[in-house]
């Protein structure tokens, strides 16, 4: 019998001997850890010492599960995409995270973290956001719990994700623009970290992906692991077995991917495909293809792969999708890449947009542009007729309509 870390099942129960989950110091192979300024140490230490214990409390699990069911709308369907399957000659299932309340997977994590913040006695929440989905998901749970909320967002992202900025304001959150650097996600994260250093006692920082210092990558992956937990029983119902041949997800920081892979990580019969944003092309100087271009470095408190200059300065990333516009990936994904467990594919803006339009017209589902990257793999990867390919449909495209309209001149 396998030794198991004693967390409730929907919070990431797994083998302690796993080669692909975080160890107790927060390392995935050589990646991860907590590289933080001394002033941040008390905040992350408080979280590190308590997060597993809190997740293990039956009352925590019960409240988490209840909110996922009644408020988020879980389980999300696993939908057999018939026309897409016919077109690409394989069996394609879509895990419909776009149907979560607020329109993306991000809310699975913010529900978990707001409950965690309450248990830790915090009364103020800060967050960073790129596409605005995490900002909206954070503002939503703060409204739900009646807690003050400040969201940092790059000035560029504020302009290209206007509907989500309006939603955050409507929900009562304050949106503070990040004006430095590329004025996108990385810069918003810097501002949020600065805020946290200045407000160590009453504030919890809800990080929106599997990035940041330990324990964030592991904690966020556990909250998102409900995605693969559901895929397992849903696939069993539909195909008679729990395992697909491949699980595919787009990777910004990597949280929807971490959730979709989580319960398959140690099962090497299940292929893991991670899709990154190549922007205007890997060698164009305007991309966010970390696996292709990244080198080992430290960003936002974690040792991982990131795009950087010869001198180790972080390169400004670029992608048409705000949620993939990040110069690194979480440490789990760096390890999946380095170890060869995951197959990484880089998709350009143009390829993603074309794939997004195709899914809209073949399946009647308009995906978020982040997700559209995952749908563009079929030119790069051929599947067999009987392969079962699960694509994590991380979010819906409402927030991106203006970008689609401008791109296609609709
Ligand atoms: C719909 C959607 N998918 C994917 C992502 C990328 O984030 P992650 O890699 O953490 O899933 C985002 C980020 O905002 C998003 O909104």
């Amino acid at each position: 019998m396998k030794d198991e870390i004693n967390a409730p099942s929907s919070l990431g129960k797994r083998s302690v001997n796993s080669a692909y989950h975080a160890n107790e110091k927060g390392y995935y192979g050589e990646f991860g850890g907590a590289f933080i300024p001394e002033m941040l140490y008390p905040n992350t230490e408080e979280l590190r010492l308590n997060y597993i214990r809190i997740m293990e409390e039956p009352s925590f699990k019960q409240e988490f599960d209840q909110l996922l069911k009644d408020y988020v709308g879980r389980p999300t369907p696993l939908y057999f995409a018939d026309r897409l399957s016919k077109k690409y000659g394989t069996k394609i299932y879509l895990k419909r995270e776009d149907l979560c309340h607020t329109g993306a997977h991000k809310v699975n994590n913010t529900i978990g973290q707001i409950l965690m913040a309450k248990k830790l006695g915090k009364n103020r929440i800060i967050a960073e956001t790129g596409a605005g989905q995490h900002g909206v998901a954070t503002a939503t749970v703060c409204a739900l719990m009646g807690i003050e909320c400040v969201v940092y967002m790059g000035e560029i992202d504020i302009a290209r994700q206007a509907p989500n900025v309006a939603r955050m304001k409507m929900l009562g959150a304050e949106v503070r623009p990040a004006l430095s650097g590329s004025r996108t996600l990385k810069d918003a994260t810097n501002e949020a970290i600065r805020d946290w250093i200045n407000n160590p006692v009453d504030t919890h920082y809800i990080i929106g992906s599997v990035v940041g210092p330990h324990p964030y990558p592991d904690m966020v992956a556990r909250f998102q692991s409900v995605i693969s937990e559901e895929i397992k029983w849903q696939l069993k119902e539909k195909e008679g077995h729990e395992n697909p041949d491949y699980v595919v997800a787009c990777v910004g920081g990597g949280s929807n991917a971490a959730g979709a892979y989580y319960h398959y990580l140690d099962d090497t019969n299940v292929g893991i495909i991670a899709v990154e944003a190549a922007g205007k092309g890997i060698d164009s100087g305007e991309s966010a293809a970390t696996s292709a271009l990244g080198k080992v470095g430290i960003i936002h408190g974690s040792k991982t792969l990131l795009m950087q200059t010869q001198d180790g300065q972080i390169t400004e990333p670029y992608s048409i999708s705000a949620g993939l516009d990040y110069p690194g990936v979480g440490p789990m994904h760096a390890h999946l890449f380095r170890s060869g467990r995951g197959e990484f594919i880089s998709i350009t803006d143009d390829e993603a947009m074309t794939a997004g339009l195709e899914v809209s017209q073949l399946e009647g589902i308009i995906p978020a542009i982040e997700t559209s990257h995952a749908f563009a793999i079929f030119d790069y990867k051929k599947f067999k007729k009987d392969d079962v390919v699960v694509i994590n449909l991380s979010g819906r495209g409402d927030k991106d309509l203006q970008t689609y309209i401008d791109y296609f001149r609709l």
Side-chain angles (χ1 to χ4, degrees):
M1 205 173 82
K2 274 188 187 165
D3 232 0
E4 307 238 283
I5 286 180
N6 205 10
S9 56
S10 62
L11 292 169
K13 195 170 179 179
R14 77 282 176 98
S15 163
V16 284
N17 299 320
S18 167
Y20 301 106
H21 288 102
N23 68 18
E24 64 183 23
K25 294 206 163 106
Y27 276 89
Y28 298 82
E30 66 172 298
F31 300 107
F35 297 82
I36 45 170
E38 203 181 323
M39 274 145 63
L40 215 53
Y41 185 75
N43 311 35
T44 54
E45 196 57 5
E46 182 185 31
L47 201 54
R48 186 185 71 80
L49 291 173
N50 290 297
Y51 81 111
I52 301 251
R53 177 185 61 74
I54 291 174
M55 282 182 178
E56 282 174 356
E57 286 173 12
S59 62
F60 183 92
K61 178 182 157 43
Q62 203 218 337
E63 203 175 352
F64 180 68
D65 287 349
Q66 194 78 48
L67 284 170
L68 287 188
K69 180 166 173 279
D70 296 337
Y71 189 73
V72 173
R74 303 205 73 92
T76 59
L78 183 69
Y79 161 70
F80 178 67
D82 192 35
R83 296 187 70 207
L84 207 56
S85 297
K86 287 204 175 91
K87 165 131 201 204
Y88 291 107
T90 191
K91 289 165 116 175
I92 301 172
Y93 283 90
L94 309 182
K95 180 60 174 159
R96 298 290 311 274
E97 293 301 294
D98 59 318
L99 295 179
C100 288
H101 177 46
T102 71
H105 66 292
K106 296 283 181 185
V107 72
N108 304 324
N109 169 47
T110 60
I111 291 274
Q113 285 205 49
I114 198 81
L115 296 178
M116 183 69 65
K118 274 177 56 181
K119 290 269 183 193
L120 293 172
K122 309 291 175 179
N123 57 23
R124 178 174 177 268
I125 295 294
I126 56 170
E128 84 298 329
T129 196
Q133 283 303 132
H134 173 59
V136 168
T138 304
T140 298
V141 298
C142 286
L144 179 69
M145 300 294 173
I147 294 181
E148 181 190 346
C149 178
V150 175
V151 180
Y152 291 92
M153 188 169 190
E155 201 183 24
I156 300 265
D157 293 338
I158 288 181
R160 63 179 160 175
Q161 302 288 319
N164 274 345
V165 177
R167 288 162 85 196
M168 283 183 265
K169 290 184 177 165
M170 180 91 188
L171 291 160
E174 182 191 341
V175 181
R176 289 194 191 159
L179 305 171
S180 61
S182 57
R183 291 170 291 146
T184 59
L185 182 55
K186 144 180 92 56
D187 314 290
T189 309
N190 290 339
E191 294 296 335
I193 290 175
R194 231 166 268 151
D195 182 316
W196 207 24
I197 289 174
N198 291 326
N199 298 285
V201 179
D202 66 336
T203 298
H204 175 70
Y205 177 15
I206 301 192
I207 295 186
S209 193
V210 286
V211 300
H214 179 57
Y216 278 101
D218 184 45
M219 180 172 70
V220 176
R222 284 168 183 256
F223 288 139
Q224 293 290 1
S225 70
V226 64
I227 299 174
S228 48
E229 189 179 301
E230 288 174 7
I231 296 173
K232 281 196 140 185
W233 63 257
Q234 289 172 321
L235 212 51
K236 174 100 180 155
E237 272 178 17
K238 289 175 196 298
E239 290 284 331
H241 49 81
E242 291 185 337
N243 289 3
D245 295 288
Y246 297 92
V247 191
V248 184
C250 66
V251 174
S255 68
N256 86 88
Y261 306 157
Y262 196 94
H263 289 287
Y264 296 119
L265 285 170
D266 290 316
D267 209 329
T268 49
N269 290 328
V270 179
I272 282 176
I273 300 180
V275 188
E276 287 185 329
K280 294 186 177 162
I282 291 178
D283 300 318
S284 66
E286 291 185 77
S287 113
T290 308
S291 68
L293 301 170
K295 297 194 181 57
V296 178
I298 288 170
I299 183 168
H300 300 139
S302 175
K303 183 175 172 193
T304 187
L305 290 174
L306 68 133
M307 292 166 26
Q308 52 190 299
T309 63
Q310 295 279 40
D311 315 329
Q313 294 300 317
I314 294 168
T315 311
E316 299 298 352
Y318 163 79
S319 165
I320 195 169
S321 79
L324 303 188
D325 199 347
Y326 187 70
V329 286
M332 173 197 281
H333 301 290
H335 181 52
L336 290 175
F337 176 70
R338 267 294 162 83
S339 63
R341 173 73 183 94
E343 183 177 351
F344 282 64
I345 298 176
S346 305
I347 295 297
T348 64
D349 289 354
D350 291 339
E351 291 165 335
M353 296 302 273
T354 305
L357 187 65
E358 180 177 86
V359 174
S360 304
Q361 298 186 356
L362 280 181
E363 296 294 344
I365 298 170
I366 303 174
I369 299 177
E370 289 78 12
T371 321
S372 293
H373 286 71
F375 284 110
I377 59 167
F378 297 100
D379 286 340
Y380 293 92
K381 176 93 190 160
K382 299 292 168 220
F383 297 98
K384 295 203 259 329
K385 193 166 138 289
D386 292 329
D387 279 346
V388 171
V389 180
V390 174
I391 300 183
N392 197 36
L393 210 170
S394 57
R396 61 177 177 242
D398 308 29
K399 71 183 176 57
D400 296 316
L401 266 191
Q402 196 56 50
T403 313
Y404 280 126
I405 288 167
D406 293 345
Y407 185 89
F408 291 113
R409 297 179 205 280
L410 296 171

